[in-house]
Amino acid sequence: METTTIQMSPVAVASRKDLPIRAGATVKVHLKIEEKGKVRMQIFEGLVLAVKGGAGNGAMFTVRKVASGVGVEKIFPLYSPSIEKIEIVRQSEVRRSKLYFVRGKVARDVKRKMRHTKSGVTVPVQEGEVAEAVTAEEAIA
């Protein structure tokens, strides 16, 4: 009786298993996205916060990036067929295996910058009127 092996996913398992992806790495994840019958590539570039599951079948890694001032995190399965390739842009030296503290650190930095800015909104005035400071809530209403 002859035995044959069938590869279930189109992922090159050997190349993904040997990928030196660790927390602190900046990576570009090339995703295949299907819309209206067409397949396009989307690149998600960010910082690896955590790698879970080692190199086993359920291995996953979390990537965080800031898009339009908002932090976005995605969790990718390492052996997902929707991932075309993973590029490691740079590897930072970190002392932790999980970098979840980065979420709070970014929020603290934003708060620190906001303390030194004026919160009032200026309103254009016509001649003869006295200018007054308007708060953000009053400007919205």
Side-chain angles (χ1 to χ4, degrees), residues 98-115:
K98 308 287 188 280
L99 303 178
Y100 297 131
F101 68 90
V102 171
R103 298 170 182 158
K105 184 176 181 343
V106 171
R108 282 193 303 270
D109 290 343
V110 169
K111 285 180 188 174
R112 189 174 297 125
K113 286 181 184 176
M114 291 298 288
R115 273 187 227 140

Side-chain angles (χ1 to χ4, degrees), residues 25-29 31 33 42-49 62-76 102-103 106:
T26 303
V27 295
K28 284 184 182 180
V29 181
L31 295 166
I33 296 178
Q42 184 179 47
I43 298 173
F44 191 87
E45 182 176 0
L47 177 72
V48 176
L49 295 184
T62 306
V63 181
R64 177 185 174 86
K65 78 171 184 178
V66 178
S68 301
V70 179
V72 178
E73 289 184 13
K74 280 191 176 183
I75 301 171
F76 297 103
V102 171
R103 298 170 182 158
V106 171

Side-chain angles (χ1 to χ4, degrees), residues 26-127:
T26 303
V27 295
K28 284 184 182 180
V29 181
H30 296 258
L31 295 166
K32 287 187 269 186
I33 296 178
E34 187 173 339
E35 291 177 340
K36 299 178 184 176
K38 295 180 182 178
V39 178
R40 67 179 181 87
M41 296 299 296
Q42 184 179 47
I43 298 173
F44 191 87
E45 182 176 0
L47 177 72
V48 176
L49 295 184
V51 179
K52 293 185 176 182
N57 289 337
M60 304 191 119
F61 61 101
T62 306
V63 181
R64 177 185 174 86
K65 78 171 184 178
V66 178
S68 301
V70 179
V72 178
E73 289 184 13
K74 280 191 176 183
I75 301 171
F76 297 103
L78 185 61
Y79 300 109
S80 173
S82 64
I83 296 176
E84 182 69 27
K85 68 179 177 177
I86 302 169
E87 289 180 46
I88 298 176
V89 178
R90 96 177 61 87
Q91 175 66 51
S92 300
E93 193 169 319
V94 294
R95 296 181 180 189
R96 305 280 180 270
S97 62
K98 308 287 188 280
L99 303 178
Y100 297 131
F101 68 90
V102 171
R103 298 170 182 158
K105 184 176 181 343
V106 171
R108 282 193 303 270
D109 290 343
V110 169
K111 285 180 188 174
R112 189 174 297 125
K113 286 181 184 176
M114 291 298 288
R115 273 187 227 140
H116 301 295
T117 60
K118 296 189 181 218
S119 61
V121 178
T122 57
V123 178
V125 292
Q126 297 175 356
E127 288 184 36

